[in-house]
Amino acid sequence: MNGFDLEDSTFMQQALSLARRAMRMGEIPVGAVVVENGVYGPRIIGRGFNHREKRSDPTAHAEVVALRAAGRFRKSWQLSDCRMYVTLEPCPMCAGALVNARIRRLIFGAFDPKAGAAGTLYQITNDPRLNHRMETAGGLMAEESAALLREFFTARRKSRLVCDDI
């Protein structure tokens, strides 16, 4: 799973920036952007980061938030000429949403051994039984993405220990 270019790195940096924003808000640090190839070149048409805690919404994953924003921008649910950059391999729900949106290409950072549905545990983004498949590539800026997640969960565990000691 390779073949990344400078453009891919630029858009993944945007997703990482959104993941950091999520972490500052107390959300699991995952960020996502939807990119279309516009007349003047590629541009971001949807941004998202996790909002599950703030919105009390189990579906408010970064990918879903970004897809909703892109759909509103395009006034269409079909995003067949778009790609998504996300800092963590999508879960089954998000991978299904990507399939339903007809995303052309998925690029993700860290692999998710507990819920990854784009190659690690499941192959939803490339399941031949589904009506759509997409080019899928993982591992772009994986260490940076994983480091944010480790930092977040380490801090969360420490704060729980402090609270439990009181």
Side-chain angles (χ1 to χ4, degrees):
M1 291 191 188
N2 226 326
F4 305 117
D5 59 24
L6 182 58
E7 189 174 278
D8 291 331
S9 296
T10 300
F11 289 120
M12 186 59 82
Q13 283 290 352
Q14 294 291 314
L16 280 164
S17 176
L18 291 164
R20 289 195 256 328
R21 188 170 167 194
M23 188 159 69
R24 287 191 301 273
M25 294 176 61
E27 297 279 356
I28 295 173
V30 178
V33 295
V34 177
V35 175
E36 75 170 1
N37 287 325
V39 176
Y40 301 107
R43 65 180 176 167
I44 296 174
I45 62 167
R47 290 177 173 79
F49 56 88
N50 280 356
H51 280 86
R52 292 189 317 167
E53 299 299 326
K54 298 293 182 212
R55 294 183 182 171
S56 299
D57 180 354
T59 69
H61 289 206
E63 299 94 326
V64 172
V65 173
L67 287 172
R68 288 175 178 159
R72 281 192 305 272
F73 179 85
R74 294 286 269 311
K75 295 181 176 57
S76 175
W77 61 268
Q78 278 195 356
L79 303 170
S80 59
D81 60 338
C82 296
R83 54 202 140 124
M84 175 171 280
Y85 295 85
V86 61
T87 59
L88 180 65
E89 180 181 4
C91 71
M93 175 186 70
C94 293
L98 293 168
V99 169
N100 283 317
R102 311 294 196 267
I103 289 290
R104 181 178 55 86
R105 183 173 183 227
L106 165 66
I107 302 93
F108 65 87
F111 289 85
D112 186 348
K114 293 182 179 181
T120 299
L121 291 180
Y122 307 102
Q123 296 280 344
I124 292 174
T125 59
N126 284 298
D127 190 324
R129 296 169 296 179
L130 298 176
N131 63 340
H132 177 74
R133 284 161 296 290
M134 67 198 70
E135 180 184 338
T136 302
L140 177 60
M141 298 182 181
E143 185 49 42
E144 295 94 324
S145 299
L148 278 175
L149 291 161
R150 279 192 303 273
E151 181 182 340
F152 175 82
F153 286 111
T154 297
R156 189 184 219 175
R157 280 190 294 279
K158 284 181 183 176
S159 72
R160 283 190 180 149
L161 288 174
V162 170
C163 291
D164 289 345
D165 291 341
I166 296 176

